[in-house]
mmCIF file of all heavy atoms in Angstrom:
data_model
loop_
_atom_site.group_PDB
_atom_site.id
_atom_site.type_symbol
_atom_site.label_atom_id
_atom_site.label_comp_id
_atom_site.label_asym_id
_atom_site.label_seq_id
_atom_site.Cartn_x
_atom_site.Cartn_y
_atom_site.Cartn_z
ATOM 1 N N ASP A 277 82.042 -8.067 104.981
ATOM 2 C CA ASP A 277 81.050 -7.685 104.005
ATOM 3 C C ASP A 277 80.467 -6.261 104.289
ATOM 4 O O ASP A 277 79.863 -5.700 103.344
ATOM 5 C CB ASP A 277 79.842 -8.720 104.109
ATOM 6 C CG ASP A 277 78.928 -8.606 102.931
ATOM 7 O OD1 ASP A 277 79.378 -8.080 101.834
ATOM 8 O OD2 ASP A 277 77.725 -8.925 103.041
ATOM 9 N N LEU A 278 80.729 -5.742 105.401
ATOM 10 C CA LEU A 278 80.210 -4.422 105.792
ATOM 11 C C LEU A 278 81.174 -3.297 105.700
ATOM 12 O O LEU A 278 80.905 -2.187 106.028
ATOM 13 C CB LEU A 278 79.679 -4.493 107.209
ATOM 14 C CG LEU A 278 78.654 -5.583 107.544
ATOM 15 C CD1 LEU A 278 78.443 -5.753 109.032
ATOM 16 C CD2 LEU A 278 77.291 -5.220 106.901
ATOM 17 N N LEU A 279 82.415 -3.636 105.252
ATOM 18 C CA LEU A 279 83.458 -2.692 105.217
ATOM 19 C C LEU A 279 83.273 -1.579 104.216
ATOM 20 O O LEU A 279 82.469 -1.703 103.330
ATOM 21 C CB LEU A 279 84.789 -3.359 104.955
ATOM 22 C CG LEU A 279 85.283 -4.250 106.097
ATOM 23 C CD1 LEU A 279 86.606 -4.926 105.725
ATOM 24 C CD2 LEU A 279 85.418 -3.452 107.313
ATOM 25 N N ARG A 280 84.018 -0.553 104.364
ATOM 26 C CA ARG A 280 84.114 0.625 103.407
ATOM 27 C C ARG A 280 83.880 0.151 102.014
ATOM 28 O O ARG A 280 82.967 0.607 101.338
ATOM 29 C CB ARG A 280 85.462 1.309 103.572
ATOM 30 C CG ARG A 280 85.573 2.650 102.966
ATOM 31 C CD ARG A 280 85.094 3.734 103.877
ATOM 32 N NE ARG A 280 85.472 3.575 105.288
ATOM 33 C CZ ARG A 280 86.427 4.267 105.866
ATOM 34 N NH1 ARG A 280 86.982 5.224 105.282
ATOM 35 N NH2 ARG A 280 86.732 4.103 107.131
ATOM 36 N N VAL A 281 84.707 -0.747 101.602
ATOM 37 C CA VAL A 281 84.411 -1.497 100.342
ATOM 38 C C VAL A 281 84.319 -2.936 100.723
ATOM 39 O O VAL A 281 85.222 -3.471 101.340
ATOM 40 C CB VAL A 281 85.560 -1.296 99.365
ATOM 41 C CG1 VAL A 281 85.242 -2.041 98.006
ATOM 42 C CG2 VAL A 281 85.819 0.134 99.013
ATOM 43 N N PRO A 282 83.197 -3.604 100.386
ATOM 44 C CA PRO A 282 83.059 -5.014 100.779
ATOM 45 C C PRO A 282 84.256 -5.785 100.316
ATOM 46 O O PRO A 282 84.640 -5.698 99.153
ATOM 47 C CB PRO A 282 81.768 -5.409 100.033
ATOM 48 C CG PRO A 282 80.965 -4.124 99.978
ATOM 49 C CD PRO A 282 82.012 -3.032 99.750
ATOM 50 N N LEU A 283 84.799 -6.577 101.219
ATOM 51 C CA LEU A 283 86.126 -7.119 101.021
ATOM 52 C C LEU A 283 86.136 -8.494 100.407
ATOM 53 O O LEU A 283 85.497 -9.463 100.984
ATOM 54 C CB LEU A 283 86.866 -7.149 102.384
ATOM 55 C CG LEU A 283 88.273 -7.680 102.434
ATOM 56 C CD1 LEU A 283 89.175 -6.797 101.620
ATOM 57 C CD2 LEU A 283 88.737 -7.794 103.879
ATOM 58 N N SER A 284 86.859 -8.669 99.371
ATOM 59 C CA SER A 284 87.116 -10.002 98.830
ATOM 60 C C SER A 284 88.107 -10.656 99.757
ATOM 61 O O SER A 284 88.980 -10.017 100.420
ATOM 62 C CB SER A 284 87.728 -9.951 97.456
ATOM 63 O OG SER A 284 86.800 -9.346 96.564
ATOM 64 N N THR A 285 87.985 -12.003 99.898
ATOM 65 C CA THR A 285 88.782 -12.628 100.939
ATOM 66 C C THR A 285 88.825 -14.146 100.661
ATOM 67 O O THR A 285 88.080 -14.643 99.822
ATOM 68 C CB THR A 285 88.174 -12.394 102.302
ATOM 69 O OG1 THR A 285 89.068 -12.908 103.347
ATOM 70 C CG2 THR A 285 86.837 -12.993 102.479
ATOM 71 N N ILE A 286 89.702 -14.798 101.393
ATOM 72 C CA ILE A 286 89.773 -16.251 101.328
ATOM 73 C C ILE A 286 89.119 -16.814 102.617
ATOM 74 O O ILE A 286 89.610 -16.532 103.701
ATOM 75 C CB ILE A 286 91.191 -16.765 101.208
ATOM 76 C CG1 ILE A 286 91.968 -16.146 100.079
ATOM 77 C CG2 ILE A 286 91.215 -18.281 101.123
ATOM 78 C CD1 ILE A 286 91.416 -16.512 98.743
ATOM 79 N N ASP A 287 88.073 -17.506 102.472
ATOM 80 C CA ASP A 287 87.376 -18.030 103.640
ATOM 81 C C ASP A 287 88.089 -19.256 104.210
ATOM 82 O O ASP A 287 88.367 -20.180 103.387
ATOM 83 C CB ASP A 287 85.957 -18.366 103.319
ATOM 84 C CG ASP A 287 85.135 -18.769 104.501
ATOM 85 O OD1 ASP A 287 85.409 -19.868 105.106
ATOM 86 O OD2 ASP A 287 84.246 -18.064 104.865
ATOM 87 N N GLN A 288 88.437 -19.202 105.449
ATOM 88 C CA GLN A 288 89.163 -20.304 106.052
ATOM 89 C C GLN A 288 88.260 -21.195 106.911
ATOM 90 O O GLN A 288 88.680 -22.125 107.551
ATOM 91 C CB GLN A 288 90.299 -19.835 106.916
ATOM 92 C CG GLN A 288 91.330 -18.975 106.133
ATOM 93 C CD GLN A 288 92.351 -18.345 106.952
ATOM 94 O OE1 GLN A 288 92.443 -17.102 107.036
ATOM 95 N NE2 GLN A 288 93.071 -19.180 107.751
ATOM 96 N N ASN A 289 87.000 -20.811 106.956
ATOM 97 C CA ASN A 289 86.048 -21.587 107.651
ATOM 98 C C ASN A 289 86.423 -21.714 109.120
ATOM 99 O O ASN A 289 86.594 -22.872 109.644
ATOM 100 C CB ASN A 289 85.806 -22.961 107.045
ATOM 101 C CG ASN A 289 84.428 -23.501 107.314
ATOM 102 O OD1 ASN A 289 83.815 -23.078 108.264
ATOM 103 N ND2 ASN A 289 83.991 -24.417 106.416
ATOM 104 N N SER A 290 86.487 -20.607 109.801
ATOM 105 C CA SER A 290 86.962 -20.575 111.153
ATOM 106 C C SER A 290 86.123 -21.437 112.105
ATOM 107 O O SER A 290 86.574 -22.169 112.967
ATOM 108 C CB SER A 290 87.093 -19.231 111.627
ATOM 109 O OG SER A 290 85.998 -18.398 111.243
ATOM 110 N N LEU A 291 84.739 -21.331 111.938
ATOM 111 C CA LEU A 291 83.901 -22.177 112.701
ATOM 112 C C LEU A 291 84.252 -23.662 112.609
ATOM 113 O O LEU A 291 84.384 -24.331 113.621
ATOM 114 C CB LEU A 291 82.446 -21.934 112.264
ATOM 115 C CG LEU A 291 81.544 -20.975 112.993
ATOM 116 C CD1 LEU A 291 80.159 -21.009 112.392
ATOM 117 C CD2 LEU A 291 81.512 -21.292 114.450
ATOM 118 N N GLU A 292 84.471 -24.077 111.407
ATOM 119 C CA GLU A 292 84.739 -25.485 111.214
ATOM 120 C C GLU A 292 86.084 -25.839 111.778
ATOM 121 O O GLU A 292 86.219 -26.932 112.339
ATOM 122 C CB GLU A 292 84.728 -25.750 109.630
ATOM 123 C CG GLU A 292 84.946 -27.200 109.297
ATOM 124 C CD GLU A 292 83.765 -28.085 109.685
ATOM 125 O OE1 GLU A 292 82.694 -27.561 110.097
ATOM 126 O OE2 GLU A 292 83.894 -29.314 109.509
ATOM 127 N N ILE A 293 87.040 -24.935 111.676
ATOM 128 C CA ILE A 293 88.368 -25.202 112.281
ATOM 129 C C ILE A 293 88.161 -25.469 113.809
ATOM 130 O O ILE A 293 88.640 -26.465 114.348
ATOM 131 C CB ILE A 293 89.286 -24.010 112.060
ATOM 132 C CG1 ILE A 293 89.754 -23.963 110.614
ATOM 133 C CG2 ILE A 293 90.576 -24.190 112.945
ATOM 134 C CD1 ILE A 293 90.669 -22.845 110.254
ATOM 135 N N GLY A 294 87.369 -24.578 114.422
ATOM 136 C CA GLY A 294 87.050 -24.788 115.894
ATOM 137 C C GLY A 294 86.382 -26.161 116.162
ATOM 138 O O GLY A 294 86.753 -26.878 117.058
#
Side-chain angles (χ1 to χ4, degrees):
Chain A
D277 191 28
L278 304 165
L279 291 178
R280 192 84 44 107
V281 181
L283 181 64
S284 296
T285 185
I286 307 293
D287 186 293
Q288 301 171 239
N289 208 338
S290 41
L291 262 183
E292 184 69 7
I293 290 179

